[in-house]
Amino acid sequence: MSNILIVDDEIELCHFLNYLLCDLGHAVTVCTSGEDFDRAIMEKEFELAFLDIRLPDRNGLDILQHLKQRQPLCKVVVMTGYGTIKTAVSAIKFGADDFIEKPFDNIEDIELLTEQLLVKGSAPADHEALELASRLNCFIGKNEEMNQLYKLAYKFAKKNVTVLIEGETGTGKEVLAHFIHHASKRAGSPFIGVNCGAIQENLLESELFGHTKGAFTGAAKEKKGYFEQAGKGTLFLDEIGEASLATQVKLLRVLETGEFIKVGGETIKKNQARLIAASHVNLEEAVENGTFREDLLYRIDVVKLTIPPLRKRVEDIPQLVDYYLKQHELGLSFTPDTIECLCKYNWPGNMREFVNMIKRVAALAEGETAIITPHYLPSKLMSNSKYLASANVPTAVHQSIPAIEMNFADYLREWCQQMIDTWEDDDVVDLHHVLQMIKSMEVETLQAIIKKALKRTVGDRKQAAEQLGISLRTLRYYLNEKK
Ligand SMILES: Nc1ncnc2c1ncn2[C@@H]1O[C@H](COP(=O)(O)OP(=O)(O)OP(=O)(O)O)[C@@H](O)[C@H]1O
Ligand SMILES: [Mg+2]
């Protein structure tokens, strides 16, 4: 028998849950207001709580935080109603173990969740998420943010909500989209990926929605569009930030109405696919710059998942090396100083760059050695190793201006040298890598200039933004203060 707390202002729902949980043999305390809740947690220790996120006299997230502070071992399930799904995301970030949607459509799910939380001490979703990731060869590592991200993704995968994935180039946005598809009830249906920036304007409508035979010159046969191809599966709208304004209007229409019509057709079709959008640019910023529609962002940003860049999880690099070598049965071992170089590098191309690096090292070492020393690494990894990845830089270094200036000047010199090396290299140039270098230089430059301005204004962000001729929001965005 466990002590379970229910906090909800809907009396009928409380009765129902009370009945269900008592029937399972638990001692239940029901609170219908914030005031009742305050009293209850003073009197008893609870093992599990079901919390309504919207109470008339108190914010549900405050209640959650209060409960977690006073009784940290108490597991929490938040109950969300229509329109509060975004709050559920915050609740999970604030420490809730899981959430259920009201009205309840599956009693067995509640029983199972209760049992799992009380007996195993974690929501079934959490270990299932990690198992699925491992089955899909998707590396998560120990980094807390990545773990939370994948667990959150798993929880929302089962719900019928649109998901937006943001993250720098190569961080694994498509990998995460596949993971969500496989974690959802749609796993048996198709996963269709579309690069929104690559859709030809004149074919736009027929690409998205298909066309009937004879709809236009050249339409010799009836054709299914992406929405129809995805069926009851997942439609992955990759690089949605690069969609033209015309594409954005068409997508918005389907998201608003849930319907589309084939070019030349008359029948209205229902969209049954779940949409997952991804972008390497920050879409809020794009809205501010006028390149992305605010109404479309509102529709796709129901659940936003932001993948951290590899340089922010360098603690996982040694394990990532092992993981990759084992997965590809590469009988190699990296010496400690080689691993150190990898940990100190900035990884502008993130996971993609990492995978390419290991492939290159394996090709170089083949038939020569099984022990990988720093000599086998691309030169940029060795030379850059003296620039600590930002996660490792003590804050004091960031704050003192001479250090910033010196670091940045060194960085620029190094960057130019690398670019010259690449230019003079007779090997085929990896253009993707060059673009990553340019992007990362852009970020470093903006940050260095902003930090210098902040030093001048003694930390006054508003004044610094004015001096630089940008909005405060843009300044915070460049400093990565806003996700
Ligand atoms: N979690 C992961 N585990 C294993 N490999 C990964 C993971 N994330 C990314 N990768 C590898 O990194 C490469 C890039 O991943 P992906 O295409 O998903 O990135 P992306 O964020 O969509 O990149 P882009 O912004 O360029 O479209 C892939 O080869 C993938 O195998
Ligand atoms: Mg991608």
Side-chain angles (χ1 to χ4, degrees):
M1 186 191 80
S2 303
N3 286 329
I4 302 186
L5 175 68
I6 301 172
V7 187
D8 200 316
D9 62 319
E10 278 178 60
I11 309 278
E12 263 134 55
L13 184 131
C14 290
H15 279 318
F16 167 75
L17 262 185
N18 184 20
Y19 177 78
L20 180 81
L21 297 168
C22 286
D23 208 37
L24 293 174
H26 301 296
V28 181
T29 303
V30 173
C31 299
T32 52
S33 66
E35 226 175 278
D36 278 0
F37 162 81
D38 290 338
R39 218 171 302 122
I41 59 161
M42 297 289 281
E43 287 169 5
K44 231 189 233 175
E45 289 283 318
F46 295 97
E47 277 97 48
L48 174 63
F50 286 88
L51 297 186
D52 180 13
I53 232 164
R54 223 183 240 175
L55 285 176
D57 67 335
R58 192 80 62 81
N59 179 330
L61 290 180
D62 288 345
I63 291 208
L64 166 65
Q65 277 176 300
H66 195 132
L67 178 61
K68 280 278 168 188
Q69 267 163 16
R70 272 201 82 90
Q71 303 193 10
L73 296 180
C74 178
K75 302 284 169 198
V76 179
V77 176
V78 292
M79 300 184 282
T80 63
Y82 178 75
T84 52
I85 200 97
K86 281 192 187 186
T87 328
V89 181
S90 313
I92 302 237
K93 287 183 182 159
F94 280 133
D97 295 273
D98 213 330
F99 73 97
I100 46 178
E101 283 172 297
K102 293 195 285 187
F104 306 139
D105 54 2
N106 194 342
I107 314 276
E108 279 164 19
D109 281 353
I110 303 179
E111 289 178 348
L112 181 70
L113 185 59
T114 307
E115 152 105 11
Q116 294 272 355
L117 283 170
L118 291 174
V119 179
K120 298 209 173 126
S122 70
D126 287 356
H127 61 260
E128 283 169 20
L130 303 181
E131 268 165 33
L132 177 66
S134 133
R135 240 184 305 133
L136 296 175
N137 288 329
C138 175
F139 177 84
I140 297 181
K142 291 202 173 62
N143 178 273
E144 189 51 31
E145 201 178 332
M146 277 295 275
N147 275 271
Q148 288 306 333
L149 182 82
Y150 268 82
K151 288 176 189 169
L152 197 64
Y154 191 84
K155 283 174 185 149
F156 283 98
K158 309 248 178 278
K159 320 281 170 188
N160 212 8
V161 288
T162 306
V163 176
L164 171 63
I165 305 174
E166 284 191 354
E168 288 179 14
T169 179
T171 41
K173 296 182 289 294
E174 189 156 353
V175 168
L176 179 59
H178 274 282
F179 171 85
I180 296 174
H181 174 71
H182 285 283
S184 74
K185 292 175 186 145
R186 300 165 180 273
S189 303
F191 176 98
I192 302 289
V194 188
N195 183 334
C196 295
I199 307 180
Q200 271 185 46
E201 206 81 352
N202 56 340
L203 295 176
L204 171 67
E205 215 161 338
S206 82
E207 293 282 313
L208 290 174
F209 311 124
H211 60 71
T212 56
K213 184 176 170 186
F216 46 85
T217 325
K221 278 197 291 188
E222 170 149 2
K223 187 185 159 211
K224 284 185 180 174
Y226 298 129
F227 278 90
E228 211 175 344
Q229 287 172 36
K232 291 185 179 166
T234 303
L235 181 58
F236 177 51
L237 301 170
D238 201 4
E239 294 307 350
I240 196 160
E242 282 170 20
S244 67
L245 287 169
T247 310
Q248 292 178 32
V249 173
K250 304 273 184 237
L251 291 173
L252 179 66
R253 208 175 55 201
V254 194
L255 279 161
E256 280 178 347
T257 61
E259 294 170 346
F260 60 90
I261 303 177
K262 275 188 168 182
V263 177
E266 281 170 6
T267 331
I268 295 176
K269 290 184 178 280
K270 275 235 160 294
N271 169 41
Q272 297 176 301
R274 119 86 72 68
L275 299 187
I276 302 181
S279 171
H280 74 276
V281 293
N282 179 299
L283 293 179
E284 280 181 34
E285 183 74 8
V287 166
E288 206 170 87
N289 294 338
T291 53
F292 200 76
R293 291 184 68 110
E294 191 169 10
D295 43 10
L296 181 58
L297 177 59
Y298 176 78
R299 290 274 166 188
I300 55 171
D301 176 14
V302 180
V303 174
K304 178 153 91 180
L305 302 171
T306 307
I307 310 183
L310 190 54
R311 67 179 172 279
K312 294 265 155 83
R313 41 188 169 115
V314 284
E315 73 274 19
D316 277 342
I317 285 185
Q319 194 193 344
L320 182 56
V321 172
D322 274 356
Y323 174 89
Y324 196 85
L325 294 179
K326 272 199 200 103
Q327 193 197 344
H328 293 268
E329 295 176 2
L330 297 167
L332 301 173
S333 76
F334 281 52
T335 60
D337 51 344
T338 315
I339 297 279
E340 199 186 329
C341 287
L342 303 185
C343 291
K344 286 178 175 171
Y345 179 60
N346 243 342
W347 299 107
N350 294 295
M351 289 292 285
R352 179 179 292 109
E353 188 181 8
F354 180 87
V355 170
N356 288 342
M357 177 280 299
I358 300 239
K359 281 186 191 156
R360 184 192 139 134
V361 166
L364 280 178
E366 197 179 353
E368 226 177 72
T369 180
I371 310 287
I372 304 301
T373 57
H375 299 101
Y376 284 89
L377 298 179
S379 59
K380 64 183 182 223
L381 261 94
M382 276 150 55
S383 50
N384 249 12
S385 64
K386 60 177 180 282
Y387 301 106
L388 300 176
S390 50
N392 286 346
V393 180
T395 344
V397 174
H398 266 314
Q399 280 163 0
S400 86
I401 195 169
I404 290 173
E405 282 172 348
M406 197 196 79
N407 266 351
F408 182 62
D410 279 351
Y411 168 85
L412 272 186
R413 261 178 232 114
E414 185 61 34
W415 188 91
C416 289
Q417 191 53 54
Q418 270 188 44
M419 214 36 137
I420 293 167
D421 288 350
T422 310
W423 170 247
E424 287 177 348
D425 197 344
D426 283 337
D427 280 358
V428 179
V429 172
D430 178 352
L431 203 56
H432 204 82
H433 172 67
V434 174
L435 279 172
Q436 281 157 2
M437 278 180 67
I438 294 170
K439 277 186 194 161
S440 108
M441 199 268 267
E442 188 184 326
V443 173
E444 295 288 340
T445 308
L446 291 171
Q447 291 200 345
I449 291 174
I450 291 175
K451 282 176 184 165
K452 209 169 159 188
L454 280 170
K455 186 77 189 169
R456 261 198 315 268
T457 63
V458 204
D460 184 333
R461 287 172 155 58
K462 199 157 168 247
Q463 207 187 340
E466 268 164 24
Q467 287 181 3
L468 295 167
I470 54 175
S471 69
L472 182 58
R473 242 172 123 183
T474 309
L475 179 140
R476 299 190 56 189
Y477 170 64
Y478 287 143
L479 286 178
N480 275 331
E481 289 180 348
K482 194 184 61 172
K483 291 266 149 99

